[in-house]
Amino acid sequence: MAEIVISGGKTLSGEITVQGAKNSVLPVLAGTLLCYGESIIHNCPNISDVDTSFLILEGLGCKCKKQDSTVIVNSSAVNGYTIPDDLMRQMRSSVMFLGAIIGRTGKAVISSPGGCELGPRPIDLHLSALKKMGVTITEEHGLLCCETKNGLRGADIHLNFPSVGATENIILAAATAKGETFIHNAAREPEISDLADFLNSMGAKISGCGSDTIYISGVDKLYPTTHTIIPDRIVAATYIAAAAVTGSKITLKNTMPSHMVSCLSLFRESGCDIKALGRTLTVSAPKRLNRVPTVRSLVYPGFPTDAGPLVVAMLSLSSGTCVFVENIFENRFRYVGELNRLGTKIKTEGKIAVIEGVQSLSGANCKCTDLRGGAALVTAALAANGETQISDISHILRGYEDIVSNLSSIGADIKIV
Ligand code: EPZ
């Protein structure tokens, strides 16, 4: 199995262009099902979750092509409505295809997404919303069979939690439903606005994204379009954390600083000097990071849960004790045990991680537990003295395009073996 090997302690310097957002391109790819013809998507990241999405789309009858970071999906001949079990297990966010498949074909069969590395991750909010829109859902032999006899109809939906995936699924189902849909207590993440921009350019009528009430007026038909995916704010935060732990000065191109306000203020509080000019961020880290007493993950625009692991790794080298409170997922600290093998001093209790700052880390063998947990191991390894071998790196490759070549291009001693 491939491993990432890092010899840490190197100062980084140079420029990285940040990839398109994983959590935007996935729902946008689902949205291509809602029209007949070729949708063209630019700034699509080269990551395995996109490859998995292609397999799902092709299994439904679409034709997918990739030319560098441009993807073309021809959804003229959709003739299926099932996502196979192995693909559901490979990528839990496949549930995002549910609304679009039902919007296109009137039915869908998926296996109930198992729990994953972040806890049970139920989809009750997705299913209760779809039922309100006229979908009957039966569960048999671990399969969810969804069907709408008279087509999807608009509904007034209140989410008891601003779930990103549920908000996106409802938007995808409501875009061509009969009538109007309101989503109250909707998620406000930038990726949701990007999905709405994509669908509106296809002829949808969606407004209110970015606020907690989204309004969709169903239309009869959507048309193929061309769209450019927004930059990945979590990948950008990952490279900032890499600079922070190595006392480096780096430049990030193709970012959206306005999507990263809570992240940037955390990095600045830890002592990094960050200048934002248009889509370029210049990061200059101190020799020793300040202690940041408490960091809490919250729904957008609060501090993003996905940046939690890399920030926990970074704060393990700060000059004091910090507390990280994970408020979104039930079990997002599985990476901490692996981090502690590199010399971090982190104790977790439920949703709280207490991080005692240490002077230095030392390389060790460790294993990815999940996507962002893997990014945390890379972050720590870049600062650790000696060599770190990271295994199970398929988790990292799900969401990070060219992370090894990008880091090595700015001076890290990192390779895949
Ligand atoms: C999306 O996951 C992202 N994934 C996650 O990124 C991100 O961490 C998360 O949003 C929060 O920002 C994609 O966009 C593909 P949620 P999602 O529904 O939609 C509970 C990464 O690292 N919940 O907002 O699954 C759920 O259990 C990934 O890129 C229900 O209880 O997140 C969780 O505790 C990880 N019932 C919380 O809400 C539901 O029906 C947040 O989940 C749905 C969710």
Side-chain angles (χ1 to χ4, degrees):
M1 294 289 275
E3 290 189 336
I4 288 178
V5 178
I6 296 173
S7 282
K10 310 281 181 305
T11 303
L12 311 178
S13 114
E15 188 176 290
I16 290 177
T17 298
V18 172
Q19 70 185 62
K22 165 178 92 78
N23 293 349
S24 174
V25 73
L26 298 182
V28 163
L29 286 172
T32 61
L33 287 166
L34 293 171
C35 73
Y36 292 75
E38 282 198 343
S39 303
I40 300 171
I41 299 156
H42 296 303
N43 200 32
C44 178
N46 181 21
I47 54 177
S48 62
D49 269 8
V50 166
D51 300 336
T52 306
S53 301
F54 281 6
L55 292 176
I56 292 172
L57 288 169
E58 285 162 357
L60 297 168
C62 297
K63 288 190 174 44
C64 303
K65 264 189 311 202
K66 193 159 52 168
Q67 289 150 0
D68 300 327
S69 64
T70 293
V71 152
I72 300 168
V73 179
N74 189 323
S75 53
S76 308
V78 170
N79 51 26
Y81 51 83
T82 301
I83 300 182
D85 185 52
D86 61 324
L87 294 182
M88 277 302 294
R89 289 180 183 284
Q90 215 169 304
M91 184 175 76
R92 185 213 169 270
S93 42
S94 311
V95 71
M96 201 96 67
F97 281 78
L98 205 48
I101 296 173
I102 299 170
R104 175 62 183 259
T105 68
K107 49 187 169 183
V109 175
I110 65 167
S111 55
S112 31
C116 80
E117 59 270 0
L118 305 180
R121 289 182 79 180
I123 59 170
D124 55 309
L125 299 175
H126 299 244
L127 302 184
S128 54
L130 290 171
K131 284 177 188 160
K132 284 185 88 169
M133 297 176 75
V135 182
T136 51
I137 300 172
T138 52
E139 179 148 9
E140 49 204 42
H141 317 301
L143 292 178
L144 289 173
C145 304
C146 310
E147 184 145 18
T148 164
K149 290 243 179 322
N150 317 313
L152 287 158
R153 58 172 188 271
D156 198 48
I157 296 164
H158 290 253
L159 292 175
N160 63 25
F161 179 86
S163 152
V164 171
T167 302
E168 290 166 343
N169 238 334
I170 298 163
I171 289 173
L172 287 161
T176 56
K178 288 185 208 60
E180 300 179 320
T181 298
F182 283 93
I183 309 172
H184 303 282
N185 195 27
R188 298 168 52 185
E189 275 69 3
E191 292 75 22
I192 291 169
S193 302
D194 201 27
L195 172 64
D197 292 345
F198 169 67
L199 293 171
N200 284 338
S201 74
M202 292 167 85
K205 293 198 176 84
I206 304 163
S207 55
C209 288
S211 80
D212 57 8
T213 302
I214 297 176
Y215 169 69
I216 303 116
S217 173
V219 296
D220 295 337
K221 199 166 163 48
L222 293 177
Y223 300 88
T225 187
T226 297
H227 181 74
T228 299
I229 298 291
I230 57 171
D232 194 309
R233 56 198 169 98
I234 307 302
V235 168
T238 306
Y239 289 127
I240 295 173
V245 297
T246 52
S248 304
K249 184 175 180 349
I250 67 168
T251 300
L252 297 180
K253 311 285 277 181
N254 188 35
T255 64
M256 290 282 262
S258 60
H259 292 168
M260 302 178 67
V261 172
S262 53
C263 277
L264 297 183
S265 71
L266 182 272
F267 286 119
R268 287 177 173 128
E269 192 179 346
S270 73
C272 294
D273 176 62
I274 301 182
K275 286 190 178 48
L277 193 65
R279 289 198 160 207
T280 299
L281 286 176
T282 307
V283 181
S284 182
K287 281 293 151 244
R288 188 87 203 273
L289 294 163
N290 304 334
R291 165 178 177 261
V292 176
T294 305
V295 187
R296 291 177 183 82
S297 68
L298 292 167
V299 295
Y300 194 87
F303 185 85
T305 172
D306 294 346
L310 27 118
V311 158
V312 165
M314 176 188 89
L315 293 175
S316 70
L317 282 162
S318 72
S319 53
T321 298
C322 315
V323 173
F324 188 92
V325 187
E326 169 54 43
N327 289 309
I328 307 295
F329 287 105
E330 275 165 35
N331 175 19
R332 193 158 199 173
F333 289 133
R334 289 175 65 234
Y335 63 94
V336 167
E338 294 299 312
L339 261 188
N340 283 336
R341 293 166 63 92
L342 276 78
T344 59
K345 284 210 177 75
I346 306 168
K347 284 196 186 61
T348 63
E349 183 79 34
K351 64 183 201 171
I352 292 181
V354 179
I355 308 149
E356 192 186 326
V358 294
Q359 287 285 349
S360 65
L361 301 176
S362 53
N365 291 357
C366 52
K367 180 196 280 274
C368 296
T369 52
D370 60 270
L371 166 59
R372 307 300 174 184
L377 296 175
V378 170
T379 304
L382 289 169
N385 300 316
E387 184 171 279
T388 298
Q389 293 178 5
I390 304 172
S391 57
D392 281 6
I393 61 171
S394 57
H395 288 288
I396 297 176
L397 303 180
R398 279 189 47 214
Y400 287 89
E401 170 187 86
D402 301 338
I403 187 167
V404 171
S405 52
N406 279 335
L407 286 170
S408 112
S409 75
I410 58 172
D413 181 343
I414 178 173
K415 51 186 181 291
I416 287 193
V417 298

